[in-house]
């Protein structure tokens, strides 16, 4: 019985097909089980559930492998730019020179946001978290930039992609400037995507921002490392919400909300806050390691552990190298880096972390890099969102083009009351 699994329930046999991926991954297809056997499968947190077939990103958690469209993350980080990686993810192939130029021009063309959107920022409570603002702004984009009915479907979709990739970056910088009561800087068409972002963020009439090519390169690498990560929590949110056939902006907004959580993209903010707490407490890491290992304490070592990687996250390796280069270039010493390195040194030799297969993830060192750029802590997850956007878009595109597409609608095992009668209010609580 090749490529089939046999399930026996109540003495009855069911043959279940086995799907094999291009890297040899195998999955039992249970999609007909309810229909054929009246059974669903239980998998809280989808730890062992494949929700789709995908040709975008390959991860091998035990070996710490990450590839986009077949290309190892190490090669992309070394040779590519964020814009080129975004093109690769969305379109499936690296662009030719002409395709790259067209894509870059399209990003420039769509980089401005409607001036009326400023009013939204201005009326947000000043202490609002930038991720909440970003999620609302992205939903609002749909009303400012509705589908271009006069264009062919594919062109409409490509323009929407360019709008999103370009405007998310503009919105993030705009939000930062407005939150500080500063003037908004507009994007410039002669600057690259990353240089434009840094200029929009930090240029000031009193202190012009000088673009440093090494920092631009580091930002490219940072965003490349975040560009996609197969069916993680926020990407699954994009696919699930998108499966109801909402517009792309609404699906991306759902992804932003999911990413905000401290167990997911919000871990970059939570990690820095943890490192700062250790620093304020005098820098002794021992009590924090002890707390992370204590079953009765909810504290976790933020930036450690991953649902898929059971060895070193390849992105963490690359980012720690970038952090050292950037701090060296800026001639700056960050005491939080010393603390992070000591935590890692101790944790990787400690049996608790070894047995639980807990290693630094991408968020462990990324905050130190973002601090070096001058990005405020509460914007760290916004930086992650800008990076993850091409992944969300490509996963959404793949899902709507999928011939096996279905509305995402998991089932449950009901554990509540069995049938009982309605009690009028004046008789409730009486025995
Ligand atoms: N510190 C201490 N213990 C940990 C940690 C940690 N960071 N992470 C997991 N564990 C322990 C758990 O306590 C549990 O122990 P037990 O089996 O003895 O009860 C075991 O490892 C498994 O933990 P789960 O939460 O079941 O593992 P899961 O795969 O669901 O968790 C997660 C992955 C959520 C990332 C987890 O490792 C975590 O909370 N890490 C800290 C937050 C973080 O850095 N998130 C960013 C992830 S990367 C990203 O989303 C971009």
């Amino acid at each position: 019985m090749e490529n089939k699994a046999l399930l026996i329930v109540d003495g009855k046999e069911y043959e279940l097909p086995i799907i094999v991926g291009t890297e040899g991954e195998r999955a039992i297809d249970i999609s007909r089980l309810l229909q054929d056997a009246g059974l669903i499968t239980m998998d809280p947190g989808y730890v062992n559930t494949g929700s789709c077939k995908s040709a975008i990103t390959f991860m091998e958690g035990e070996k710490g492998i990450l590839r986009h469209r077949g290309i190892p993350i190490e090669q992309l980080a070394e040779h590519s730019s964020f814009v080129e990686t975004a093109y690769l993810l969305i379109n499936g192939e690296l662009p030719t020179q002409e395709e790259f130029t067209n894509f870059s021009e399209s990003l420039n063309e769509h980089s401005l946001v409607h001036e009326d959107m400023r009013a939204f920022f201005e009326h947000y409570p000043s202490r609002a978290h930038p991720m909440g603002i970003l999620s609302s702004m992205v939903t609002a984009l749909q009303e400012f930039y509705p589908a271009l009915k006069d264009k062919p479907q594919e062109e409409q979709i490509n323009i929407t992609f360019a709008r999103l990739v370009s405007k998310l970056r503009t919105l993030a910088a705009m939000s930062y400037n407005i939150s500080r009561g500063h003037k908004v800087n507009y994007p410039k068409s002669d600057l690259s995507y990353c240089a434009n972002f840094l200029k929009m963020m930090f240029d000031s009439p009193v202190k012009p921002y000088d673009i440093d090519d090494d920092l631009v390169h580091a930002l490219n690498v940072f965003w490349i490392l975040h560009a996609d990560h197969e069916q993680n929590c926020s990407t699954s949110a994009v696919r699930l919400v998108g499966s109801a056939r909402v517009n792309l902006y609404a699906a991306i907004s759902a992804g932003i909300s999911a990413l905000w959580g401290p167990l997911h993209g919000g871990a970059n903010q939570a990690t820095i806050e943890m490192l700062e707490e250790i620093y304020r407490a005098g820098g002794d890491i021992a009590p924090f390691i002890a707390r992370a290992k204590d079953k009765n304490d909810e504290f976790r070592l933020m930036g450690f552990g991953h649902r898929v990687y059971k060895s070193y996250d390849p992105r963490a390796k690359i980012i720690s190298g970038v952090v050292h280069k950037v701090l060296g270039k800026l001639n700056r010493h960050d005491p939080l880096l010393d603390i992070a390195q000591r935590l890692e040194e101790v944790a990787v030799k400690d049996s608790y972390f070894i047995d639980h297969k807990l290693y630094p993830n991408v968020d462990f060192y990324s905050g130190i890099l973002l601090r070096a750029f001058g990005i405020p802590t509460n914007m760290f997850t916004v930086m992650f969102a800008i990076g993850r956007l091409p992944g969300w878009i490509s996963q959404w595109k793949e899902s709507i083009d999928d011939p096996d597409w279905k509305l995402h609608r998991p089932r449950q095992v009901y554990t509540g009351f069995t049938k009982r009668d309605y009690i009028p209010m004046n008789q409730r609580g009486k025995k």
Side-chain angles (χ1 to χ4, degrees):
M1 208 175 55
E2 206 182 316
N3 277 342
K4 288 216 165 48
L6 190 64
L7 177 73
I8 305 172
V9 183
D10 300 333
K12 203 165 167 208
E13 291 187 359
Y14 301 93
E15 271 189 12
L16 304 170
I18 293 182
I19 300 168
V20 186
T22 47
E23 291 282 351
E25 294 164 301
R26 301 171 84 211
I28 300 174
D29 180 352
I30 49 101
S31 56
R32 286 188 56 86
L33 199 58
L34 181 60
Q35 210 170 324
D36 295 348
L39 287 165
I40 63 164
T41 51
M42 272 300 277
D43 182 22
Y46 311 129
V47 178
N48 196 38
T49 293
S51 62
C52 59
K53 290 184 210 156
S54 179
I56 302 170
T57 290
F58 173 69
M59 285 173 74
E60 168 99 69
E62 292 295 333
K63 294 189 187 145
I65 291 173
L66 173 62
R67 295 182 205 136
H68 296 315
R69 303 287 189 185
I71 304 176
I73 191 66
E74 293 79 6
Q75 291 183 25
L76 290 170
E78 191 175 346
H79 304 295
S80 187
S81 66
F82 176 61
V83 169
E84 186 185 58
T85 300
Y87 185 99
L88 168 74
L89 283 165
I90 296 170
N91 298 289
E93 292 292 344
L94 288 168
T96 61
Q97 183 60 57
E98 192 189 348
E99 287 164 339
F100 182 76
T101 306
N102 290 343
F103 187 54
S104 302
E105 278 173 3
S106 177
L107 294 181
N108 270 330
E109 197 183 321
H110 297 289
S111 58
L112 285 172
V113 295
H114 200 292
E115 283 291 310
D116 286 355
M117 291 192 84
R118 286 174 75 149
F120 285 180
F121 286 110
E122 279 152 13
H123 292 100
Y124 248 91
S126 56
R127 311 186 90 207
H129 194 283
M131 282 299 273
I133 302 176
L134 195 70
S135 165
S136 314
M137 292 297 157
V138 168
T139 308
L141 282 175
Q142 164 68 15
E143 307 312 328
F144 285 95
Y145 303 95
L148 306 150
K149 299 277 185 226
D150 54 325
K151 307 246 185 212
Q153 174 92 14
E154 199 184 331
E155 203 178 327
Q156 286 184 42
I157 290 183
N158 286 337
I159 290 177
T160 306
F161 292 168
R163 280 179 169 160
L164 259 168
V165 172
S166 200
K167 291 185 202 305
L168 199 72
R169 168 203 57 171
T170 309
L171 283 169
M174 198 169 161
S175 153
Y176 174 63
N177 284 306
I178 292 174
S179 74
R180 297 196 309 158
H182 286 187
K183 104 175 176 25
V184 168
N185 296 315
Y186 290 94
K188 294 200 162 56
S189 62
D190 57 337
L191 292 180
S192 71
Y193 188 91
C194 294
N196 236 325
F197 175 75
L198 292 171
K199 187 94 179 158
M200 280 193 278
M201 283 286 289
F202 301 120
D203 197 44
S204 137
V206 286
K207 197 164 180 250
Y209 182 78
D210 291 328
I211 293 168
D212 180 317
D213 288 344
D214 290 331
L215 290 195
V216 171
H217 174 71
L219 182 56
N220 266 294
V221 175
F222 172 85
W223 275 334
I224 289 170
L225 296 180
H226 288 80
D228 191 49
H229 220 217
E230 53 120 297
Q231 308 314 316
N232 56 83
C233 177
S234 55
T235 301
S236 298
V238 170
R239 280 190 179 253
L240 185 140
V241 172
S243 82
R245 288 291 194 249
V246 295
N247 62 75
L248 175 61
Y249 297 110
I252 298 295
S253 172
I256 293 171
S257 297
L259 189 74
W260 190 359
L263 295 190
H264 189 19
N268 57 13
Q269 175 172 344
T271 302
I272 279 292
E273 287 166 353
M274 176 189 77
L275 296 174
E276 282 169 344
E277 194 189 334
I278 298 174
Y279 180 69
R280 279 196 304 273
D284 183 8
I285 61 168
F288 292 85
I289 294 271
R291 285 186 63 195
K293 291 161 42 173
D294 182 354
K295 276 252 154 283
N296 300 315
D297 191 330
E298 281 186 357
F299 176 81
R300 284 185 168 198
L301 204 54
M302 299 313 285
F304 255 74
H306 197 274
R307 174 62 65 79
V308 181
Y309 293 125
K310 298 303 168 199
S311 64
Y312 214 101
D313 179 338
R315 303 167 302 171
K317 237 180 238 164
I318 300 170
I319 221 160
S320 77
V322 177
V323 167
H324 282 98
K325 274 196 197 135
V326 166
L327 289 178
K329 166 84 200 214
L330 297 173
N331 202 11
R332 198 178 296 167
H333 169 249
D334 188 340
L336 299 194
L337 178 60
D338 300 338
I339 295 174
Q341 283 175 319
R342 277 190 281 128
L343 278 173
E344 181 184 337
E345 274 162 29
V346 170
V348 297
K349 288 189 207 126
D350 185 298
S351 62
Y352 174 89
F353 293 90
I354 296 169
D355 295 348
H356 286 77
K357 299 189 175 175
L358 300 169
Y359 297 88
N361 60 49
V362 69
D363 295 315
F364 194 62
Y365 288 108
S366 69
I368 299 172
L369 178 63
L370 295 175
R371 263 160 69 95
F373 284 133
I375 309 281
T377 308
N378 70 352
M379 263 192 77
F380 284 7
T381 317
V382 168
M383 296 297 288
F384 192 148
I386 299 172
R388 182 53 53 86
L389 183 61
W392 288 332
I393 291 175
S394 54
Q395 300 272 350
W396 174 87
K397 184 172 179 237
E398 186 178 66
S399 76
I400 62 159
D401 290 344
D402 186 348
D404 295 333
W405 170 86
K406 282 222 172 340
L407 175 73
H408 285 213
R409 201 320 187 170
R411 302 300 294 251
Q412 62 168 18
V413 172
Y414 175 70
T415 57
F417 288 108
T418 54
K419 181 178 175 294
R420 57 186 185 145
D421 290 328
Y422 177 84
I423 304 170
M425 196 178 281
N426 61 7
Q427 292 171 29
R428 287 177 210 163
K430 292 182 186 160
K431 291 273 169 208

